[in-house]
Amino acid sequence: MVIRDHREGKMLPHPFRRRWRRRRRSVATVTRPLLISTLGGVLALLGQLATALAAEAPRQSPAAIEHAAESFLRQALAAEYEHFEVSARGVDSRLSLEACDDTLEAFIPHGRDAARASTVGVRCTGSVPWTVYVRMEIEAQAKVAVAARLLRRGTVLRAGDLRLAERDVRRMHSDWFTDSESLIGLEVQRTLREGSPIRSRDVDQPLLIRRNDRIRIQGGSGGRVSITARGRALEDGREGERIRAENIDSGREVEGWVIDRGTIQIGPRP
């Protein structure tokens, strides 16, 4: 209902409508905080329920994780080393993982060598998957080739220059040789003290030609006519390497493959 103001011709709101509008605003002001408070209580209750359910779920034993890491690493090392010791440094007891409902799988991160693995990963691929990393202590002993005496640079190795000795390969920062026979005939690249392990960077094929050596330049191969000329080496060369040389008779520079001491061959690689 409205009341018309006959003096000005305007429609005026009924007093009851004003009261209803004020009441509706008052109800809304009271209801909104109540809903927010109620919703907050429900969320808190759900959080407590989830925590309680998680606490009731069985937890993964840290000892089982350590055992999986140690067993895996022992099996990997046994294929290469006769003597080794492996132990896990321990899993944080504060770590709370749901018990795995599948077999634990261990692995070495980044594909590293087992003897140099400082950590082993253990993962669960069950209904609740997870992965943890276990720090390991390893000592791996192996018989490796070492210098039997002081070996100076340029020495071509013979059987008497080498012997086998046990070393902790974890402390060796390069590869090593377990068979001394494979080193015989190689040339020492730097002076080695007695007892020093022989590593791949310490030896190389011996130089068959040295710079400025007088050499023989050989041309032709197979059933073709062989031509030989005198030459002078312009660089060092090992068997199978291609080097530059000067033909003394013509003064021309040529390239050839080192095939023997003091001899290179021009043409396709032999």
Side-chain angles (χ1 to χ4, degrees):
M1 178 183 294
V2 296
I3 300 174
R4 181 182 297 276
D5 186 344
H6 295 282
R7 290 174 299 178
E8 297 182 6
K10 296 181 180 180
M11 303 295 289
L12 300 176
H14 193 277
F16 176 75
R17 179 171 296 181
R18 290 196 190 99
R19 290 194 299 270
W20 170 249
R21 289 176 179 173
R22 286 196 298 269
R23 183 180 179 186
R24 187 168 56 181
R25 286 196 297 269
S26 177
V27 171
T29 303
V30 173
T31 304
R32 188 176 294 110
L34 181 61
L35 288 175
I36 294 174
S37 177
T38 303
L39 181 59
V42 170
L43 292 175
L45 182 61
L46 290 175
Q48 293 175 2
L49 180 60
T51 302
L53 291 175
E56 293 176 1
R59 301 288 89 189
Q60 180 64 52
S61 166
I65 297 175
E66 294 174 7
H67 176 72
E70 290 176 349
S71 298
F72 169 79
L73 205 52
R74 286 193 184 100
Q75 184 176 1
L77 292 170
E80 298 184 40
Y81 307 102
E82 295 182 6
H83 308 290
F84 58 85
E85 293 183 6
V86 173
S87 62
R89 293 188 177 181
V91 177
D92 192 341
S93 59
R94 296 171 297 178
L95 190 65
S96 181
L97 298 171
E98 187 167 328
C100 186
D101 55 6
D102 201 352
T103 304
L104 294 177
E105 297 180 3
F107 62 95
I108 298 177
H110 312 300
R112 294 175 180 171
D113 179 72
R116 293 189 171 94
S118 58
T119 60
V120 170
V122 178
R123 61 186 165 217
C124 172
T125 56
S127 55
V128 182
W130 47 259
T131 301
V132 295
Y133 295 90
V134 184
R135 297 185 65 186
M136 308 298 295
E137 289 185 354
I138 305 171
E139 183 176 336
Q141 298 282 338
K143 286 187 176 181
V144 300
V146 301
R149 61 181 182 84
L150 178 67
L151 299 176
R152 299 192 181 281
R153 180 181 179 182
T155 301
V156 177
L157 294 174
R158 298 175 296 177
D161 298 326
L162 306 164
R163 62 183 176 87
L164 295 179
E166 283 201 353
R167 292 288 186 272
D168 182 3
V169 297
R170 286 274 297 176
R171 300 179 181 275
M172 299 173 63
H173 304 292
S174 181
D175 51 357
W176 57 88
F177 293 87
T178 57
D179 179 16
S180 58
E181 292 184 2
S182 62
L183 293 167
I184 295 175
L186 298 183
E187 183 178 283
V188 176
Q189 300 300 298
R190 66 185 188 91
T191 300
L192 298 172
R193 294 180 298 176
E194 181 179 352
S196 298
I198 311 294
R199 297 166 294 183
S200 59
R201 67 184 183 185
D202 297 331
V203 293
D204 203 344
Q205 293 293 330
L207 284 175
L208 297 182
I209 294 176
R210 296 185 181 274
R211 184 181 179 187
N212 290 324
D213 280 356
R214 296 288 176 153
I215 62 173
R216 182 174 59 179
I217 303 174
Q218 181 176 302
S221 61
R224 300 176 184 177
V225 176
S226 178
I227 301 174
T228 302
R230 297 178 303 160
R232 180 175 66 89
L234 300 179
E235 53 190 335
D236 297 340
R238 295 179 171 84
E239 184 176 4
E241 291 183 342
R242 190 173 184 177
I243 65 170
R244 295 178 299 111
E246 178 188 9
N247 187 319
I248 293 177
D249 296 329
S250 65
R252 294 178 56 189
E253 183 178 308
V254 297
E255 290 187 355
W257 302 95
V258 179
I259 60 174
D260 201 351
R261 186 172 297 278
T263 303
I264 66 172
Q265 179 175 304
I266 300 174
R269 185 170 187 172

